Amino acid sequence: MSDAPPAAPAALRPRLDATAYQALTDAARRDPKRYWRKEMGRLDWIQTPNEIFDDSKGWFADGKLNASINCLDRHLKQRGEQTAVIWQAEDRDTNLHLTYRELHARVCRMANVLRHQGVKRGDRVAIHLPSVVEGIVGMLACARLGAMHVVLFGGFSAEAIADRLADSGAVLAITANVGRRGAKRIPFKVTMDAALALRPDALAVRTVLVVEVTDDPVPMQAGRDLLLAPLLADASTECAPESMNANDPLFLLYTSGSTGKPKGIVHGTGGYLLWAAYTQEMVFDHQNGDIFWCTADIGWITGHSYVVYGPLANGGTVLLFEGMPSHPGPGRWWEVIQQHKVTTFYTSPTAIRALMREGDDVPARYDLSTLRVLGTVGEPISHDAWAWFDDVIGQKRCALVDTWWQTETGGIMISPIPGAVKEKPASATLPLPGVRPLLLDEKGYPIEGAGEGILCLDGSWPGHALTIWQDDALFKTTYLAPYPGHYFTGDGARRDEDGYYWITGRVDDVINVSGHRIGSAEIEDALAADHAIAESAAIGIPHDLKGQSIVVYLVPRHENADGLAERAMKIIAAKVGRYAVPEIIHIVPDLPKTRSGKNVRRLMRKIACGEREGFGDLSTLADPGVVKVLIEIVNRGD
Ligand code: 6R9
């Protein structure tokens, strides 16, 4: 132990001020091609693009690059010995510091293993892993070979995994024997086996590579399953990267929309990587020596852009934590920040609300003075959670960035920029330079000045998703058709007199539970397959901790509905995943419908929230009497 006095708390040294922000915003608006021609210099190109943007060809169409070169090789000369990834294990005493040189070697080994297993440019590789280094390594190894990674969220059920394996046509899967969640063990491999057994004919997976996270035994199928560690040990630490076109897909990532079918959002290589790097530097005031901790799972777009691609493209140091916020005690995250001297901490409002409940004395026990920038993402943050994060964690000296964006945008779109855009508590504030949001009224007319409406985006930006995997028509109908000429986000927002944006939540049938997007239709489709269920409707209602929780109205096919609610819960857990299991199921004789047979979700939401009047004109309903029946049932708590 040294007797040196504690270092002074980290101070903000932002690169941009308000004038510079305005100048960049103006420049990007005046001449976007010129602006992005300059910005594309953030990346190392194998062939520098001449074409910057074209409506039909997209971004940087004639450019060539490899994402793994940008995240690894190009840093070796300057920062080969700098830590790229700090991995903190579930148990306190185990952690790993990988330098850029070591990470590069691991990625090459993994890429060689994949290549040896027959993975080629353009193939899809599924990754279903807990928060272990092999996740990052696997993603970058795919990028090196020009294969697309398809990272599957840890909470997916076997059926959900099977659907995504079938849709993506993945030829290989990387999984783990188990994942550790506190004292619990999550059987990743067993779930993968179950997924593969569900549709043996429809799936293209030939090989399953298994990471042994613990000594727990793991069932292996001869001829298909291989332990990864011995293969890596034998593989070479050099692997020539593929030269990819800027618009060759880098990855697919499944997300939920208002249709039941999972959507494989496809991101390209050049535009996406530039967007991840640009936004990570700007929003998080990225500087040499930063320790950047984004708590998102890599199975989420936030993990792709801000655990892997953004910070590593910028030559940063990222922290990956295997464990949970509250294990073994409620201060575990704060302990990790203290232990690894985290400077930049990016998490979700759900996590903040849960940690806030533990009381202010928990974080007070830890030294959080290294923190400089705090960020949130995934759902609207309430004023009290924002104030607590700012005050108790940031000790009022950190920048706090509420970042709005989506899987489809590739990276952050609306957010404060430390030093340049003044924060307002609980507002995502202003668009980044190069982003042009607009609000439309219900008829699709733009709202000028202050007002509330549907959030759309004008023009393109480099991080714009390329398409939906094998369903370009759905991509167009979902995002481009609703308001021709604009990109439709699915969110509502308010703009105040200073032009600041306040996101109000989804305006489509997507429910946001603890930052997880769940389509109403995903739940309804899962239930529709059951012979005892005539019909159902899933809606989201406000929830103190999770942001929203799910309520399902269920119409039984037969009079005797005993045990039906429990069965419905099981069906949802099996077909979608435990994270999508509703808080409440109401068994009802009928659903409120318009005369044309559309479910009136607005009414169901109001009733589930306990509202008993103010339902507006009910005369458009096929059977207005159903409202009274629903209210009685909800009141009784059935
Ligand atoms: C990055 C990510 C996107 C949806 C988005 C919106 C909600 C995200 C938000 C926010 C309010 C924020 N959302 N950030 N709502 N304030 N700062 O979350 O991607 O999983 O695709 O979800 O999340 O509703 O449309 P994704």
Side-chain angles (χ1 to χ4, degrees), residues 461-638:
W461 63 97
H464 196 303
L466 299 184
T467 185
I468 292 175
W469 182 247
Q470 291 191 321
D471 206 343
D472 196 49
L474 182 64
F475 187 72
K476 297 210 164 84
T477 52
T478 308
Y479 305 107
L480 309 177
Y483 299 97
H486 315 290
Y487 166 93
F488 170 59
T489 66
D491 281 319
R494 182 167 70 77
R495 189 170 48 218
D496 70 15
E497 50 297 336
D498 296 325
Y500 275 44
Y501 288 86
W502 305 71
I503 311 298
T504 51
R506 301 289 304 198
V507 294
D508 56 5
D509 295 328
V510 172
I511 306 170
N512 188 330
V513 181
S514 303
H516 294 299
R517 277 166 66 166
I518 302 161
S520 297
E522 274 179 278
I523 295 178
E524 293 158 12
D525 287 0
L527 295 175
D530 190 87
H531 62 87
I533 296 171
E535 226 190 331
S536 69
I539 52 155
I541 64 167
H543 185 278
D544 276 355
L545 212 52
K546 303 184 207 168
Q548 282 193 303
S549 69
I550 303 173
V551 173
V552 168
Y553 291 94
L554 203 156
V555 183
R557 197 175 291 282
H558 313 292
E559 210 146 283
N560 181 356
D562 290 350
L564 194 57
E566 291 72 30
R567 189 152 99 217
M569 302 253 190
K570 280 198 190 126
I571 294 172
I572 297 165
K575 293 208 171 177
V576 188
R578 295 187 56 80
Y579 68 100
V581 170
E583 195 100 336
I584 303 172
I585 294 187
H586 296 298
I587 308 277
V588 296
D590 210 349
L591 300 176
K593 287 185 190 300
T594 60
R595 291 209 188 104
S596 58
K598 272 197 165 168
N599 285 341
V600 188
R601 292 172 191 281
R602 175 185 58 84
L603 267 179
M604 290 191 263
R605 220 171 278 133
K606 284 194 163 189
I607 295 170
C609 288
E611 289 179 38
R612 297 295 170 254
E613 51 201 17
F615 294 141
D617 181 11
L618 298 180
S619 65
T620 54
L621 293 186
D623 173 11
V626 81
V627 171
K628 209 165 140 234
V629 178
L630 253 54
I631 291 177
E632 274 166 20
I633 291 174
V634 171
N635 276 349
R636 282 205 310 266
D638 296 5

Side-chain angles (χ1 to χ4, degrees), residues 437-441 445-447 451-455 493-495 501:
L438 78 165
L439 296 181
L440 300 181
D441 65 19
Y445 293 113
I447 296 168
E452 187 165 340
I454 295 155
L455 180 65
R494 182 167 70 77
R495 189 170 48 218
Y501 288 86

Side-chain angles (χ1 to χ4, degrees), residues 34-51:
R34 184 168 168 180
Y35 185 80
W36 292 111
R37 186 181 292 282
K38 181 157 172 262
E39 284 295 333
M40 81 192 183
R42 290 174 181 271
L43 300 183
D44 261 22
W45 297 86
I46 296 169
Q47 181 178 302
T48 309
N50 265 316
E51 302 178 47

Side-chain angles (χ1 to χ4, degrees), residues 300 377-380 402-407 491 503 506 517:
W300 191 24
V377 58
E379 19 159 359
D402 171 9
T403 65
W404 175 86
W405 59 293
Q406 318 180 290
T407 306
D491 281 319
I503 311 298
R506 301 289 304 198
R517 277 166 66 166

